[in-house]
Amino acid sequence: MKLTTKQLTLCAVLTAMALALSYLENLFPLSLAIPLPGIKLGLANIVTVFALYALGPGQALLILVGRCLLGAVFAGNMNALIFSVLGGVSAMLVMILLSRLGQLSVYGVSIGGAAAHNCGQIAAAVLTLWSTAPLTYLPVLLAASLLTGAVTGVAAACLFRALDHTGVLRPR
């Protein structure tokens, strides 16, 4: 895939925004409101959903992988990279599939992505721990993904409405 300078710049800005949202989310622990380990709103996924619809799957995947790699480097936690990549790529693949089916709105696609993200992270836990014990936590995470995916979908839909008149969202 060959990117123009404008596309590359937009990918860089969106990657930076996703990193900033991820960092910001860590400042406000959701565990105070929902005392379950591993549950996050996934604010950076707003950028991923936006990029998927506005730029297409290739560029959205570049932004996602860039965010995962840079996030692990900046946090100094390369162990978390497998969780981030498996969760993120699983979510992206499911969202690409669901968006192409055309049967779901951005809300449904986002919820599907949140559920797939949790499945990917549980897979990473199973691989890391060499145990199937993390699978018992999957139903809790899938239930939470209904809320977190819906929040991300609503935020992405608001972003689309706000940018509709700018020309950024030209048809691909």
Side-chain angles (χ1 to χ4, degrees):
M1 155 185 25
K2 185 176 180 192
L3 298 177
T4 66
T5 304
K6 182 178 177 182
Q7 290 170 322
L8 185 61
T9 303
L10 184 55
C11 285
V13 168
L14 290 175
T15 302
M17 286 175 58
L19 280 167
L21 286 171
S22 183
Y23 180 76
L24 180 68
E25 184 173 29
N26 290 330
L27 297 177
F28 303 103
L30 188 61
S31 61
L32 295 177
I34 303 172
L36 298 170
I39 294 180
K40 291 174 57 175
L41 282 175
L43 295 178
N45 294 326
I46 297 167
V47 175
T48 305
V49 172
F50 173 80
L52 175 62
Y53 282 92
L55 305 175
Q59 291 177 38
L61 187 60
L62 285 175
I63 292 165
L64 172 81
V65 171
R67 174 180 57 93
C68 291
L69 291 172
L70 291 172
V73 169
F74 293 158
N77 188 357
M78 295 309 285
N79 293 329
L81 184 60
I82 188 172
F83 289 86
S84 184
V85 169
L86 276 177
V89 170
S90 298
M92 179 58 69
L93 293 176
V94 166
M95 289 191 302
I96 290 168
L97 176 68
L98 292 176
S99 67
R100 288 194 174 166
L101 290 175
Q103 301 296 314
L104 295 175
S105 67
V106 67
Y107 310 108
V109 170
S110 181
I111 290 169
H117 189 274
N118 287 329
C119 290
Q121 288 198 317
I122 290 294
V126 167
L127 291 172
T128 303
L129 298 173
W130 292 97
S131 168
T132 58
L135 291 172
T136 60
Y137 195 51
L138 185 58
V140 173
L141 291 178
L142 290 176
S145 68
L146 292 172
L147 172 67
T148 60
V151 167
T152 302
V154 167
C158 290
L159 186 58
F160 291 132
R161 264 185 250 121
L163 293 175
D164 192 34
H165 68 283
T166 66
V168 172
L169 302 175
R170 286 186 298 262
R172 287 181 264 131

